[in-house]
Amino acid sequence: MPTYNEAACLPGTAAALLALPLPGLRLLIVDDDSPDGTGRLADELAAADPRVSVLHRTAKEGLGRAYAAGIGAALRDGPDYVAQMDADGSHRVEHLPELLGAALATGAGLVVGSRYVPGGQLAADWGARRRLLSACANLYATSVLGVPIRDLTAGYTLWSADALEDLALDGLRSAGYSFQVETKFLAVRAGHKVVEVPIRFEDRAHGTSKMDFATQRESALLPPRLRWDHRGRRRAARPQVALASRADI
């Protein structure tokens, strides 16, 4: 769970997450030196609950860099699965058991909490412009990369440890939100089975979006760069991308 200025959200999100009936659950908070005291709050959570740990980074280098550092640290503890989710309340914690259930039921290397499959929903207070931008970003990335995942920009995901090991996190191009696109593209290229599970995506409870112009520019440039980098390379067998309804989990 990466954080930057999430002091208003983190305690509630962490408490709800840790209350889930998942005995093996551990929470790793990756804080990018938040000036609002989020890192201190994370340390307090870790002191109060042995299931919580904190990775402090000394600078804000982007969401993608935070995720790569956090996933690398998590893998060193030998988990079976690693989930990514935001601290701001946009990712409902009750969906996490559904993602895990889909992984266990299907053997998928990647389970995507998807807004754009049947049953998926966006927050009611998302305006028309924001909905259009999100839909267009997904359409653009999937069209350029030819990846049959409907929510390629989704940030609520669950990975098997084996799938993550294949990503070579140290060599990723992405620093920002495009991390979500790059990692899914590489998972499909490597032949891992992908399952999309419908979720309801909420608007953030507090604070403001971290999506600045530089992040938007990187997100626009990354798909053609990935397509170019992988031109002529033989991809794995035809990717397996499926939709799991809640009745299947």
Side-chain angles (χ1 to χ4, degrees):
M1 183 179 291
T3 58
Y4 184 77
N5 286 350
E6 304 290 359
C9 305
L10 179 61
T13 301
L17 183 67
L18 294 168
L20 292 173
L22 297 174
L25 181 67
R26 300 291 183 269
L27 171 59
L28 172 60
I29 300 165
V30 183
D31 187 66
D32 275 4
D33 198 25
S34 299
D36 73 341
T38 302
R40 175 182 53 78
L41 284 175
D43 286 336
E44 292 174 1
L45 292 171
D49 192 322
R51 295 175 296 171
V52 181
S53 57
V54 186
L55 175 61
H56 291 282
R57 287 157 44 83
T58 58
K60 186 176 184 295
E61 297 177 316
L63 181 69
R65 298 283 185 256
Y67 266 133
I71 289 171
L75 287 174
R76 287 193 286 274
D77 286 338
D80 296 310
Y81 295 97
V82 177
Q84 313 169 215
M85 66 178 296
D86 293 341
D88 61 14
S90 57
H91 295 152
R92 299 170 68 168
V93 299
E94 59 264 35
H95 288 311
L96 183 58
E98 297 174 2
L99 302 187
L100 179 59
L104 294 172
T106 65
L110 167 61
V111 181
V112 179
S114 181
R115 301 161 290 182
Y116 299 117
V117 294
Q121 296 177 304
L122 288 169
D125 48 1
W126 266 38
R129 180 176 180 274
R130 192 174 179 188
R131 288 172 182 267
L132 180 63
L133 286 173
S134 177
C136 288
N138 268 288
L139 179 61
Y140 166 69
T142 55
S143 298
V144 172
L145 295 174
V147 176
I149 297 176
R150 299 190 193 184
D151 199 348
L152 198 56
T153 63
Y156 199 179
T157 56
L158 183 136
W159 298 81
S160 72
D162 289 341
L164 286 173
E165 294 286 3
D166 284 344
L167 295 186
L169 293 170
D170 291 341
L172 296 182
R173 278 182 169 273
S174 308
Y177 286 80
S178 55
F179 176 89
Q180 317 293 7
V181 173
E182 183 172 9
T183 51
K184 293 181 185 68
F185 170 74
L186 294 176
V188 169
R189 293 281 305 192
H192 290 286
K193 183 175 183 178
V194 181
V195 170
E196 292 190 79
V197 173
I199 65 165
R200 176 178 171 82
F201 183 85
E202 303 289 355
D203 202 3
R204 60 182 300 129
H206 300 278
T208 58
S209 172
K210 314 300 190 300
M211 180 75 78
D212 55 18
F213 175 76
T215 301
Q216 294 175 20
R217 182 175 181 273
E218 181 191 64
S219 297
L221 293 176
L222 180 76
R225 285 176 174 172
L226 285 176
R227 184 71 179 262
W228 176 260
D229 287 347
H230 290 267
R231 68 193 183 282
R233 296 186 190 178
R234 183 178 179 183
R235 69 169 67 199
R238 186 177 179 180
Q240 303 178 65
V241 181
L243 166 65
S245 70
R246 293 189 176 93
D248 299 325
I249 300 169

